Amino acid sequence: MATIKDVARLAGVSVSTVSRVINDNGYVNAETRKNVINAMENLGFRPSNIARGLVSGKTYTIGLVIPDISNPFFPDIARGVEDEAIANNYNVILCNSDWKVERETMYLSLLIEKRCEGVVLVGSHSEESDLLKVIGKMPFVSVDREMVHAGHSVWVDNEFGAYTATKHLYEEGYKRVVHISGPPSVRSANARLSGYKKAVREFNYHEPQIIESDFRTSGGYESALKVLEQQGDSRPDAIFAGNDLMAIGVIQACEKIGIKGGVDLGIVGFDGIGSSAYTSPSLTTIFQPGYEMGRRACHLLLDEIVNPGKRRIKEVFNFELLVRASTKWIK
Amino acid sequence: MATIKDVARLAGVSVSTVSRVINDNGYVNAETRKNVINAMENLGFRPSNIARGLVSGKTYTIGLVIPDISNPFFPDIARGVEDEAIANNYNVILCNSDWKVERETMYLSLLIEKRCEGVVLVGSHSEESDLLKVIGKMPFVSVDREMVHAGHSVWVDNEFGAYTATKHLYEEGYKRVVHISGPPSVRSANARLSGYKKAVREFNYHEPQIIESDFRTSGGYESALKVLEQQGDSRPDAIFAGNDLMAIGVIQACEKIGIKGGVDLGIVGFDGIGSSAYTSPSLTTIFQPGYEMGRRACHLLLDEIVNPGKRRIKEVFNFELLVRASTKWIK
DNA sequence: TGATAATGTGGAAACGTTACCACAATCTTA
DNA sequence: TAAGATTGTGGTAACGTTTCCACATTATCA
């Protein structure tokens, strides 16, 4: 790969002059500039951003640490982050942490060594103090989790969302709502759990009933089967699933045992993933504006990079209760 | 950020010695090593991979240029690429091209300037010759499109898949199959179109009937409405949609006008995205092994990086016809 | 017309590493 | 006990840029 020296030699000028042409600063004679540009084209010269980065200290790269890009809640966030990044000439390194603390740590270390200028951390799983230790002075924005001591944060009020979801079920006339929760190690899962409890206590038709699961369709399916095999008064007439994937599992379970979703069993999910609109019955859910959150998080990050340490920003995005067929007695 | 010099100074040794400790090569006295490690920890030292990259010429970074990560067919591919990359200590820069040639070109240029060691190009859209011009000598693997003159390629036989899908409809007893095609600028869309035509001609019940659309749910919805408003003999009893997203739109259109998917109208999609299993009726589709293709593509790329220029590999992955409720007269 | 400003160019240090070479001290071994 | 191997350490060029300084030449203006 041709270097700036090769270009200089071919154009018969000094390295400094070539640099001036590349960066379009300082004085360069029109004729000289033409020669240099010619030389660059002939050699297929591309400036090395890594050499540039070494002198400027800027890499124009940020990291995106996200649990799992193939989980349908996350691609929207990723797209938002990337759109905002490229609009500002930054690139994004994609890291799938699989909700594992060690992977998160490993990626963060790598990103630091690569001299990423910052990182968007989605659904981080680590203890905040541990996190801050590895992340050091690298700017970061947390999505889907509030950080207490550092960084900016952007999230949706999971507890209030879950409360709203559960309340909606009672208001639609369902009397006994079970919650299929996500893994307790995931913060948002816990917040949703406590939102559920709050609503249950408020309406006070029954005790909270919780089945712990794993945020996956299969987990939702199996949990629902377990719930629905109960007979008599204790059998619930509605399920609030900790996320849409599990809610889809609940729908599948209904089909399996011949129960009509919506009619015989109210179902609410969480996240508002695209496919929640296409299930049968279509899924009532709490929609989170993933794209906007991603985009905003990246914006805050780039802002922090340019203008560091001024303040810490926390933004709570509004969710939206999308009422669909899975919570309608009739249809 | 502390440098190797700071560490050397604090540990009272030379830069060379610190380098030896970092890379664990050459002779270092046990005592000295301990001091150096202490110094590194005290300073929170992290070696700069960008400085390393400058001398070694290696960045351990590859690019992933993909049309749109928030389109449900692509996250699996991305995950496959990233998994394989990180298993080999490589990072992945995510680039959303939105099927636009200029964006593809822009990203490729950026990746070259960042000295990425290679790129996985998904569903590339550019003329091959133009592509090769910008990509220069950077190793690459094309996914979902066969490259004729350079690079490795990994894809599924779209034409044969479409043929299989259409044939399946006739074999199930549908007599008149319309195709809602993807944008003609997308190669796989064209291949699917010609697979459809082939099957139509073979069975010869009717002329090919094609509606051009855009690979989006809304496009599928509108196209289906147009198709279904025809009355009489020319009204089709089945639709083969160019991808699952559009097929979902077809299902929505059925619901809208009170037609039973599967019974009154056979529907087949393409891709096998996760949510195709959860629609109502569940969607018959041609499944593409996205994760495996991504993983394999990345493997080929890393292989090429380590051991360049030996040969060109083309791999055609098998698709799978997933027969579900949308092509069953009864149920 | 002389002083100052504008224009044009090159040389070299610096960025943070690694890799090579040189040198010295200590250990083996015949 | 001398020759060679092993162990341990430091100095420095090189990687590909940018930036600063120095120097020349030409233009401007009072």
Side-chain angles (χ1 to χ4, degrees):
Chain A
M1 178 127 286
T3 74
I4 199 175
K5 278 186 197 163
D6 301 322
V7 176
R9 189 161 30 236
L10 184 61
V13 298
S14 74
V15 164
S16 317
T17 301
V18 179
S19 176
R20 266 179 237 116
V21 172
I22 295 171
N23 298 289
D24 205 22
N25 60 18
Y27 296 109
V28 181
N29 182 284
E31 190 70 16
T32 312
R33 159 170 289 117
K34 235 193 307 181
N35 292 336
V36 169
I37 289 176
N38 264 329
M40 295 200 294
E41 274 169 7
N42 288 335
L43 293 170
F45 169 78
R46 299 261 133 200
S48 161
N49 278 348
I50 104 145
R52 284 175 157 184
L54 188 58
V55 4
S56 70
K58 288 196 69 67
T59 55
Y60 291 98
T61 306
I62 62 171
L64 170 62
V65 180
I66 209 168
D68 177 11
I69 193 69
S70 64
N71 181 309
F73 174 53
F74 297 112
D76 279 341
I77 299 179
R79 182 69 211 245
V81 170
E82 212 271 320
D83 278 4
E84 182 70 18
I86 200 64
N88 292 276
N89 239 293
Y90 273 73
N91 283 123
V92 175
I93 293 186
L94 173 68
C95 309
N96 294 103
S97 73
D98 267 335
W99 286 280
K100 296 209 183 91
V101 175
E102 328 83 60
R103 294 201 93 202
E104 212 169 283
T105 309
M106 178 270 284
Y107 274 117
L108 254 13
S109 276
L110 258 177
L111 294 174
I112 291 173
E113 298 193 349
K114 280 221 155 79
R115 294 299 187 263
C116 279
E117 298 181 38
V119 59
V120 174
L121 251 179
V122 182
S124 163
H125 210 9
S126 316
E127 279 298 323
E128 185 166 342
S129 57
D130 297 341
L131 198 69
L132 296 183
K133 237 174 277 163
V134 293
I135 222 167
K137 313 193 66 56
M138 183 165 60
F140 72 95
V141 178
S142 168
V143 176
D144 201 27
R145 166 175 176 193
E146 180 187 1
M147 289 292 172
V148 182
H149 296 110
H152 304 314
S153 302
V154 156
W155 73 98
V156 145
D157 189 338
N158 283 286
E159 184 175 332
F160 188 37
Y163 169 84
T164 304
T166 311
K167 188 175 160 209
H168 166 72
L169 283 165
Y170 291 128
E171 287 176 347
E172 285 294 306
Y174 300 96
K175 292 279 184 257
R176 193 172 186 93
V177 181
V178 167
H179 178 48
I180 301 179
S181 70
S185 57
V186 177
R187 282 158 206 270
S188 59
N190 289 319
R192 292 171 197 178
L193 173 58
S194 67
Y196 159 76
K197 282 185 183 161
K198 212 171 194 172
V200 173
R201 267 187 241 107
E202 185 174 315
F203 282 79
N204 202 28
Y205 295 149
H206 59 91
E207 286 297 299
Q209 187 183 342
I210 294 130
I211 298 198
E212 193 181 306
S213 189
D214 59 4
F215 269 168
R216 297 148 67 123
T217 302
S218 55
Y221 177 79
E222 281 148 29
S223 305
L225 287 186
K226 237 178 282 171
V227 169
L228 295 172
E229 76 189 1
Q230 299 173 42
Q231 295 301 334
D233 273 5
S234 68
R235 177 165 171 165
D237 58 2
I239 292 180
F240 165 47
N243 70 354
D244 287 343
L245 251 22
M246 292 198 298
I248 286 170
V250 174
I251 290 176
Q252 291 181 309
C254 288
E255 211 160 294
K256 164 86 175 175
I257 59 180
I259 274 180
K260 280 202 93 158
V263 181
D264 301 325
L265 186 77
I267 308 168
V268 180
F270 206 111
D271 285 346
I273 63 176
S275 60
S276 67
Y278 312 134
T279 53
S280 170
S282 58
L283 188 62
T284 296
T285 187
I286 302 287
F287 171 80
Q288 299 197 60
Y291 180 83
E292 283 73 22
M293 288 198 290
R295 184 128 204 176
R296 181 69 183 152
C298 187
H299 184 86
L300 291 175
L301 181 64
L302 298 181
D303 214 59
E304 176 70 23
I305 288 169
V306 174
N307 203 323
K310 295 291 175 226
R311 62 241 151 111
R312 294 189 55 223
I313 294 173
K314 301 189 177 194
E315 284 187 16
V316 181
F317 273 68
N318 288 325
F319 56 82
E320 202 178 328
L321 173 67
L322 302 180
V323 177
R324 295 201 276 236
S326 71
T327 53
K328 288 198 179 130
W329 292 95
I330 294 144
K331 174 177 161 70
Chain B
M1 178 128 285
T3 75
I4 200 174
K5 277 186 195 162
D6 301 322
V7 175
R9 190 162 29 238
L10 184 60
V13 297
S14 74
V15 164
S16 317
T17 301
V18 178
S19 175
R20 265 178 237 118
V21 171
I22 295 170
N23 298 289
D24 206 22
N25 59 18
Y27 296 109
V28 180
N29 183 283
E31 190 69 18
T32 312
R33 159 170 286 117
K34 235 191 315 185
N35 291 337
V36 170
I37 289 176
N38 264 330
M40 293 200 294
E41 276 170 5
N42 287 336
L43 293 170
F45 168 77
R46 299 259 136 199
S48 160
N49 280 348
I50 103 146
R52 283 175 158 184
L54 190 58
V55 5
S56 69
K58 287 195 70 66
T59 55
Y60 290 97
T61 306
I62 61 172
L64 170 62
V65 180
I66 209 167
D68 177 10
I69 193 69
S70 64
N71 180 310
F73 174 54
F74 298 113
D76 279 341
I77 299 180
R79 181 70 210 245
V81 171
E82 212 271 320
D83 278 4
E84 182 69 20
I86 200 64
N88 292 277
N89 240 294
Y90 273 73
N91 282 123
V92 174
I93 293 186
L94 174 68
C95 310
N96 294 103
S97 72
D98 267 334
W99 286 278
K100 300 211 181 88
V101 175
E102 328 82 64
R103 295 200 94 203
E104 213 170 283
T105 308
M106 178 270 285
Y107 273 118
L108 254 11
S109 275
L110 258 177
L111 294 174
I112 290 172
E113 298 194 348
K114 281 222 154 79
R115 295 297 187 263
C116 279
E117 299 181 36
V119 60
V120 174
L121 251 181
V122 182
S124 164
H125 210 7
S126 316
E127 280 297 322
E128 185 167 343
S129 56
D130 297 341
L131 198 70
L132 296 183
K133 239 175 276 162
V134 293
I135 221 167
K137 311 194 63 58
M138 183 165 60
F140 73 94
V141 178
S142 168
V143 176
D144 203 26
R145 165 174 177 192
E146 180 187 1
M147 289 293 172
V148 181
H149 297 111
H152 303 313
S153 302
V154 157
W155 74 96
V156 146
D157 188 339
N158 283 286
E159 183 175 334
F160 187 38
Y163 168 85
T164 305
T166 311
K167 188 176 159 206
H168 165 72
L169 283 166
Y170 291 128
E171 286 177 347
E172 285 293 307
Y174 299 97
K175 292 278 185 257
R176 193 174 184 91
V177 181
V178 165
H179 178 47
I180 301 178
S181 70
S185 56
V186 177
R187 285 162 200 269
S188 58
N190 289 319
R192 291 172 198 177
L193 173 58
S194 66
Y196 159 77
K197 282 184 183 162
K198 212 172 195 171
V200 172
R201 269 189 238 105
E202 186 175 314
F203 281 81
N204 202 29
Y205 295 151
H206 60 90
E207 287 298 299
Q209 186 183 343
I210 295 131
I211 298 199
E212 193 181 304
S213 190
D214 59 3
F215 270 170
R216 296 148 65 123
T217 302
S218 54
Y221 176 78
E222 282 148 28
S223 304
L225 287 186
K226 236 177 285 172
V227 169
L228 295 173
E229 74 189 5
Q230 299 174 43
Q231 296 301 332
D233 272 5
S234 68
R235 179 168 171 161
D237 57 2
I239 291 180
F240 165 47
N243 71 356
D244 287 344
L245 250 22
M246 292 197 298
I248 286 171
V250 173
I251 290 176
Q252 291 181 311
C254 287
E255 210 160 297
K256 164 87 177 173
I257 59 180
I259 275 182
K260 278 201 93 161
V263 181
D264 301 323
L265 187 78
I267 307 167
V268 181
F270 206 112
D271 285 347
I273 64 177
S275 59
S276 67
Y278 312 134
T279 54
S280 170
S282 59
L283 188 61
T284 297
T285 187
I286 301 288
F287 171 81
Q288 300 196 61
Y291 180 83
E292 282 73 22
M293 287 196 291
R295 186 132 200 170
R296 181 68 182 152
C298 187
H299 184 85
L300 290 175
L301 182 64
L302 299 180
D303 215 58
E304 177 69 24
I305 288 168
V306 174
N307 202 323
K310 295 293 176 224
R311 61 238 151 116
R312 295 188 55 223
I313 295 173
K314 301 188 176 196
E315 282 188 17
V316 181
F317 274 67
N318 289 323
F319 56 82
E320 203 177 330
L321 173 67
L322 301 180
V323 176
R324 296 200 278 234
S326 71
T327 52
K328 289 197 180 129
W329 292 93
I330 294 145
K331 172 177 162 60

